Amino acid sequence: MGSNRKKRVLGIVLAGGKGERLMPLTKYRAKPAVHFAAKFRIVDFALSNLVNSGIFSIYVLVQFKSQSLNEHIERAWQFSGALRGRDYFTTLVPAQMWQGEHWFQGTADAVYQNLHLISLYRADQVCIFAADHIYKMDVSQMMEYHYAKQADVTVAANVVPASEASQFGCIKTDDNGRIIEFVEKPTIPPEIPGKPGFCYVSMGNYVFERVILEDSLVADAQQPTSHDFGRDIIPGLISQNAHVYAYDFSTNHLPHFDYESEKISHWRVDKPYWRDVGTIKSYWQAHMELLSVDSEMTLYNPLWPIRTVSFADPPSYSYPAEGNACIVDQVIQAEGSRILGAEVQKSVLSRNCVILPGSKVEESIIGQGVVVGKNCHIKKAIIDSYNIIPEGTIIGEDLEEDAKRYTIDTASGIIVIGMPKIRYQKDIDEKTLDSFSWSSFS
């Protein structure tokens, strides 16, 4: 740890999750490929954190329904020209069944099946980060903490009220931040020393010393466990008295411009942010939070950009049409989206969607390529890509009637319309075929 040699840090992004609780949004795509905030995919946040933190060697482990995720990574995250090489890459790693004819059996097994990549890279430390959360953090600060503690493993820990902690993997530490217990969804979660009423919960992000990682994964592979970092690897290392520490995510800070002199106080500070968007309710809530001027999450910090693929789409456009005014309030619009003589309030419009005259959209997430017909009223709904909503449709006023046609999330009452069924080409007329971008369909 005392060497002046530059550390070789490898990033591994776990992007193989099914996301079953996000159905029907995950019917045709993996959870990390689900769209977020009009133009991004969930995976973009993990990758942006690593790249913004100076970690440029990244393997993305994929598995279920990964085609659209694969295409997205290839388009958005490839280094080019002189940068491409041994230390500058974002490489997709599908389940190749090196250790037997089976899929990845858990998060730890996914890394175990690709240990040869870690060895070939000659990593000193390995950052293993989840691709299924929306978060912004400077990973280099977590690395500095890891070095300062001379840790074997460091776990990113979010601070949450004790009343909310039971739904997460919880961390018990001593006064020095060393983890002494790691428990999944406890009935009585352990509180942070000196901070009553608050608990550490695992964010699913880890920094490992390479040797410790290799030894623990090899040992775990020989045991009948769930082969999961949170359930097996971390508790096992704690029981062996390894140096496992919690990194307090609330101490993280992001670079930002100081606009205080211009009196634009609400843009002045960009805070670290983390949200689990694993359910329809939490996914919708995270979008609604973005629409507030006081949102804890901002997408507009040029010193900490969230990166994604750019398309040659036209600008977004709003105008009155057919005698209807155009009313737009608290709306995020991606490229190519159009509001034509319609009212849209507190909603997110993805690329190339169209809201036609006389319609009203409220508290909703409208997917890529969606057409909302004339005189529709849509409230508190998620409409996935390429749906065509017929003229005069009413969604969100009568849940009993909506339940006959759509998916309703019982925890929140949010109506979800999944992507239309993918049919054989012979069943699709040419006009419809021309309107779709099939290479990025999901």
Side-chain angles (χ1 to χ4, degrees):
M1 300 293 288
S3 171
N4 291 324
R5 178 177 66 83
K6 182 179 179 181
K7 305 294 184 181
R8 291 185 60 78
V9 180
L10 178 65
I12 293 182
V13 174
L14 302 175
K18 287 182 178 180
E20 293 175 334
R21 294 180 299 162
L22 277 176
M23 285 288 286
L25 301 181
T26 49
K27 183 175 181 179
Y28 296 119
R29 58 172 80 89
K31 181 181 177 182
V34 169
H35 297 270
F36 189 85
K39 64 178 292 178
F40 304 99
R41 307 270 185 151
I42 292 176
V43 70
D44 289 328
F45 291 81
L47 291 170
S48 293
N49 288 327
L50 291 171
V51 169
N52 290 345
S53 303
I55 298 171
F56 301 108
S57 306
I58 306 168
Y59 286 114
V60 182
L61 276 51
V62 300
Q63 184 163 235
F64 300 102
K65 299 176 184 176
S66 64
Q67 183 59 32
S68 63
L69 179 59
N70 295 348
E71 293 184 8
H72 177 75
I73 298 297
E74 289 171 359
R75 290 187 180 120
W77 288 98
Q78 296 309 305
F79 296 105
S80 60
L83 282 179
R84 182 178 294 164
R86 183 168 181 262
D87 294 329
Y88 296 89
F89 61 85
T90 305
T91 299
L92 287 158
V93 183
Q96 300 178 74
M97 303 185 181
W98 288 106
Q99 306 297 332
E101 295 185 6
H102 55 78
W103 293 97
F104 298 146
Q105 300 298 297
T107 56
D109 182 60
V111 179
Y112 170 69
Q113 290 200 39
N114 293 286
L115 274 180
H116 60 290
L117 299 177
I118 297 171
S119 298
L120 289 171
Y121 182 77
R122 297 179 61 233
D124 294 308
Q125 288 81 36
V126 182
C127 294
I128 300 174
F129 275 56
D132 52 4
H133 300 135
I134 300 299
Y135 58 104
K136 295 174 71 175
M137 69 177 293
D138 185 345
V139 184
S140 68
Q141 294 167 35
M142 183 176 175
M143 296 295 302
E144 290 169 4
Y145 177 87
H146 178 83
Y147 297 142
K149 293 293 186 180
Q150 296 188 327
D152 295 319
V153 186
T154 300
V155 180
N158 195 24
V159 178
V160 302
S163 59
E164 302 174 10
S166 293
Q167 57 187 308
F168 301 102
C170 291
I171 298 168
K172 183 177 182 180
T173 68
D174 63 16
D175 293 340
N176 195 36
R178 186 167 178 174
I179 300 177
I180 55 179
E181 190 176 6
F182 197 101
V183 288
E184 262 317 300
K185 301 181 179 179
T187 304
I188 303 176
E191 296 183 347
I192 302 171
K195 206 168 188 177
F198 291 90
C199 304
Y200 282 139
V201 300
S202 173
M203 297 168 59
N205 298 339
Y206 314 103
V207 176
F208 276 86
E209 291 297 305
R210 176 184 56 80
V211 174
I212 292 292
L213 177 65
E214 290 175 339
D215 290 348
S216 59
L217 290 179
V218 170
D220 176 75
Q222 314 305 317
Q223 303 297 322
T225 72
S226 57
H227 308 298
D228 183 85
F229 280 106
R231 291 186 181 92
D232 306 302
I233 301 297
I234 302 300
L237 287 170
I238 294 169
S239 68
Q240 296 166 27
N241 207 32
H243 295 162
V244 183
Y245 281 84
Y247 170 71
D248 188 336
F249 178 61
S250 68
T251 66
N252 200 264
H253 60 271
L254 300 176
H256 57 271
F257 288 120
D258 189 345
Y259 291 118
E260 187 170 5
S261 59
E262 286 82 4
K263 307 301 180 185
I264 314 177
S265 59
H266 56 270
W267 295 122
R268 187 164 56 89
V269 177
D270 187 10
K271 299 178 181 178
Y273 177 96
W274 183 78
R275 289 292 182 276
D276 182 349
V277 291
T279 66
I280 291 296
K281 181 179 180 180
S282 61
Y283 176 80
W284 179 85
Q285 285 177 331
H287 278 88
M288 295 302 107
E289 288 176 5
L290 284 177
L291 299 170
S292 170
V293 71
D294 297 320
S295 171
E296 293 183 29
M297 163 67 110
T298 176
L299 301 171
Y300 302 99
N301 182 354
L303 298 183
W304 200 268
I306 303 302
R307 306 165 192 271
T308 192
V309 65
S310 293
F311 292 90
D313 293 323
S316 60
Y317 188 37
S318 305
Y319 65 91
E322 299 184 9
N324 295 283
C326 185
I327 301 172
V328 183
D329 182 29
Q330 280 187 276
V331 177
I332 292 176
Q333 289 184 247
E335 303 95 320
S337 61
R338 289 174 289 165
I339 303 173
L340 315 179
E343 181 177 350
V344 182
Q345 296 184 345
K346 202 172 182 183
S347 295
V348 175
L349 306 187
S350 301
R351 292 175 42 237
N352 297 315
C353 67
V354 183
I355 316 298
L356 292 179
S359 287
K360 184 175 182 178
V361 177
E362 304 173 87
E363 298 180 285
S364 294
I365 303 166
I366 308 299
Q368 176 180 332
V370 168
V371 176
V372 175
K374 296 180 181 180
N375 303 313
C376 295
H377 187 189
I378 298 170
K379 185 173 183 179
K380 206 172 180 182
I382 301 172
I383 303 177
D384 206 351
S385 304
Y386 300 109
N387 277 286
I388 298 175
I389 306 302
E391 181 176 347
T393 299
I394 297 175
I395 299 173
E397 290 189 2
D398 187 338
L399 292 184
E400 192 172 310
E401 192 62 31
D402 289 333
K404 298 175 183 178
R405 297 176 293 171
Y406 314 120
T407 299
I408 297 183
D409 178 55
T410 55
S412 62
I414 297 164
I415 297 100
V416 186
I417 303 177
M419 278 178 55
K421 183 179 180 181
I422 299 176
R423 298 171 293 175
Y424 293 109
Q425 184 170 332
K426 66 182 179 62
D427 296 325
I428 304 175
D429 62 78
E430 290 301 318
K431 184 178 179 181
T432 302
L433 190 64
D434 290 342
S435 71
F436 289 150
S437 173
W438 291 99
S439 63
S440 58
F441 188 77
S442 56

